[in-house]
Amino acid sequence: MSSPVSTVDPGSAAQRPAVPRSRVILASLVGTTIEFYDFYVYATAAVAVFPALFFTGENDTAKLLASMATFAAAFFGRPIGSVIFGHYGDRIGRKATLIGALLTMGVATFLIGMLPTFYQIGIWAPLILTVLRFCQGLGLGGEWSGASLLATEYAEEGKRARAAMWPQLGAPFGFILANGFFLLLTVAMQFGTAGHELGANHPFLVWGWRIPFLASVVMVLLGLWVRVKLEETPVFQRAEQQGEKVKAPVIDVFKTSWVQIVQGTFIMLATYVLFYLMTAWILSYGIGKPAAGGLGVQYRTFLILQLLAVLLFAAMVPVSGWLADRFGRRSSQLVITSAILLFGLSFGLIMDPAHVGTGTDASLPRILFFLTLGMTLMGLTFGSMSAILPELFPTNVRYTGSGIAYNVASILGAAITPYIAVMLNSSYGVGSVGLYLSFAAVITLVALWFSPETRHVDMYAVGTPTP
């Protein structure tokens, strides 16, 4: 196992500027909430709106797949975003780079809300949609690692994981805002099965779907106001004052910290697989036709169950930070990931149609239990990741290294997971989807076993990790 940086932190507290803790919390939380809101609002529209407005043809499945392909484009933009924003984050500072990441995501989301449909500008509509979705990925790729560094590099000694959990709350908060907004709109505008039958003439498809995208500009302005008032982190300031910045962080991080990139990527793998099974795939499984292997639950009913379960996700994020500070990052994650492995083995026992029922006979309490169990584990594993990944890297390549690890994991664990799960369920049943999650958990357990404990690392340290 390797030790990423020195564990001695002489005088770091004295060098920490007097910045109100509430301002740091708000700056890290509001940005990730906005970014994840923008990200999820697209995911919801990709199922309910975009197949009807941006893609043509008689085959609904083909249109849905085309729409989901644009959704996946963002996952390939995220590693590129982590490289671009990581370079500037390690070269010019965390504050300015975070503002750039927020603007990239915000402008792309707003423009999607203004985009003409296929019926107005033809093939240019899906092409521009794909480009804007890619830009959303660029923005989110630079946002997460920057927000995590903002929280960890300002944190008090011994409380770093609890401080780092604030940007992690942006994921459940953004999910609740995005899906809750769409749920309210579809109910208010009576958009459902009947709405689809009315086609593109339904008010929701004409203009209603644009509201969540356009409304994001208000949150972006709030995020900018908070971040402009923030000072640069003390860790980066000291590295800058002592001339310890590197000229090419991307090149340097692969030369000096490639082991940590591999470790960080696979430490995040099970977390990503779990989350996208509990959000993207489970929705398609829950509302899918029983003849096709689904449960046949009403869309709005299942969405409400998901929103209730996400509350447990949010509640467990602070618990995760406390556990990581109390018992260590590695030890707590080994236990939580083992629980994820066991949860994967339970898929067939809990969610097989023969046990849970289908259509009007489906057991909603049983489904809710399954969702809350998965989301509880998600909060426990996700909450401390914003401390674990940055702590693996020294200051001068921390933004770049943690961002690359986090976002490469998003391709391996998120971009392909819903598709693999659909194929496994259609061929072998829901139990095989759980085995896929358990397999990912095994890989993460191996990565954790060979990774160092980072609870006491010195965030001010700059240097070359020893592989």
Side-chain angles (χ1 to χ4, degrees):
M1 294 186 293
S2 59
S3 177
V5 288
S6 168
T7 59
V8 181
D9 189 13
S12 62
Q15 299 187 39
R16 187 178 294 113
V19 176
R21 181 66 190 153
S22 58
R23 187 182 299 174
V24 177
I25 291 173
L26 185 59
S28 60
L29 174 60
V30 72
T32 53
T33 299
I34 293 167
E35 298 276 13
F36 279 107
Y37 167 86
D38 289 350
F39 205 74
Y40 295 143
V41 85
Y42 186 102
T44 303
V47 175
V49 175
F50 294 157
L53 299 182
F54 289 91
F55 303 96
T56 61
E58 300 297 325
N59 190 316
D60 290 338
T61 301
K63 290 194 292 184
L64 177 60
L65 287 173
S67 179
M68 294 305 291
T70 65
F71 172 74
F75 289 103
F76 294 95
R78 285 171 65 165
I80 299 174
S82 68
V83 169
I84 295 173
F85 289 105
H87 172 84
Y88 291 106
D90 286 326
R91 286 290 299 155
I92 67 173
R94 315 327 192 190
K95 175 184 171 180
T97 305
L98 275 169
I99 292 174
L102 184 63
L103 281 173
T104 300
M105 172 68 90
V107 170
T109 303
F110 182 80
L111 290 177
I112 290 173
M114 299 289 292
L115 185 61
T117 68
F118 179 89
Y119 302 100
Q120 295 168 309
I121 61 173
I123 194 65
W124 286 104
L127 291 176
I128 297 173
L129 181 66
T130 303
V131 171
L132 292 175
R133 177 59 176 170
F134 183 83
C135 290
Q136 281 190 315
L138 291 178
L140 188 57
E143 168 65 31
W144 179 86
S145 52
S148 297
L149 266 56
L150 191 66
T152 57
E153 291 184 346
Y154 268 111
E156 298 178 28
E157 189 67 21
K159 297 182 180 180
R160 201 154 53 221
R162 276 169 282 185
M165 69 90 184
W166 288 106
Q168 301 302 79
L169 282 172
F173 286 0
F175 183 90
I176 292 169
L177 285 173
N179 287 274
F181 203 159
F182 262 104
L183 179 63
L184 290 175
L185 280 174
T186 56
V187 171
M189 303 184 74
Q190 298 182 342
F191 179 77
T193 304
H196 285 296
E197 291 172 354
L198 291 173
N201 293 324
H202 192 281
F204 180 79
L205 288 177
V206 174
W207 57 269
W209 69 272
R210 300 180 183 274
I211 296 175
F213 289 90
L214 299 177
S216 69
V217 71
V218 177
M219 293 191 292
V220 170
L221 291 175
L222 172 63
L224 289 175
W225 177 76
V226 171
R227 287 185 171 177
V228 166
K229 294 173 67 67
L230 199 68
E231 297 180 30
E232 186 56 77
T233 72
V235 173
F236 182 83
Q237 283 184 24
R238 196 175 88 168
E240 187 174 40
Q241 291 167 1
Q242 297 184 358
E244 295 169 327
K245 296 186 298 181
V246 294
K247 293 183 178 180
V250 176
I251 297 174
D252 199 75
V253 75
F254 279 104
K255 283 183 177 179
T256 65
S257 306
W258 66 269
V259 172
Q260 285 71 30
I261 291 177
V262 174
Q263 289 172 339
T265 297
F266 290 109
I267 285 173
M268 272 297 301
L269 181 65
T271 302
Y272 263 121
V273 172
L274 175 64
F275 184 66
Y276 280 88
L277 286 180
M278 290 294 100
T279 53
W281 171 77
I282 197 65
L283 178 61
S284 65
Y285 176 70
I287 67 176
K289 297 178 181 179
L295 300 181
V297 178
Q298 289 283 337
Y299 170 73
R300 288 176 186 165
T301 300
F302 202 90
L303 188 57
I304 291 172
L305 295 178
Q306 274 193 303
L307 288 171
L308 290 173
V310 169
L311 296 177
L312 270 295
F313 177 9
M316 289 300 108
V317 167
V319 176
S320 177
W322 180 84
L323 289 173
D325 279 337
R326 176 67 177 82
F327 301 103
R329 284 68 159 132
R330 182 173 174 271
S331 299
S332 59
Q333 284 294 330
L334 282 169
V335 173
I336 294 165
T337 306
S338 297
I340 293 173
L341 188 155
L342 295 175
F343 175 62
L345 299 178
S346 74
F347 274 44
L349 296 174
I350 302 177
M351 291 295 283
D352 189 277
H355 301 308
V356 73
T358 58
T360 56
D361 295 326
S363 173
L364 299 185
R366 192 183 184 106
I367 296 173
L368 182 59
F369 169 74
F370 177 81
L371 291 173
T372 53
L373 186 57
M375 284 298 183
T376 295
L377 290 171
M378 180 60 199
L380 290 174
T381 184
F382 188 64
S384 59
M385 286 297 173
S386 55
I388 295 171
L389 297 190
E391 288 170 351
L392 287 172
F393 300 90
T395 299
N396 52 354
V397 294
R398 185 172 293 137
Y399 201 129
T400 304
S402 60
I404 290 174
Y406 181 84
N407 290 294
V408 171
S410 76
I411 294 180
L412 299 178
I416 62 175
T417 286
Y419 296 96
I420 292 176
V422 168
M423 291 188 294
L424 287 174
N425 180 58
S426 63
S427 300
Y428 306 106
V430 68
S432 64
V433 179
L435 292 177
Y436 176 67
L437 173 60
S438 296
F439 176 71
V442 169
I443 296 175
T444 292
L445 285 171
V446 172
L448 286 166
W449 185 261
F450 289 100
S451 297
E453 173 55 59
T454 59
R455 177 170 33 163
H456 298 298
V457 301
D458 175 15
M459 295 298 281
Y460 284 83
V462 179
T464 302
T466 303

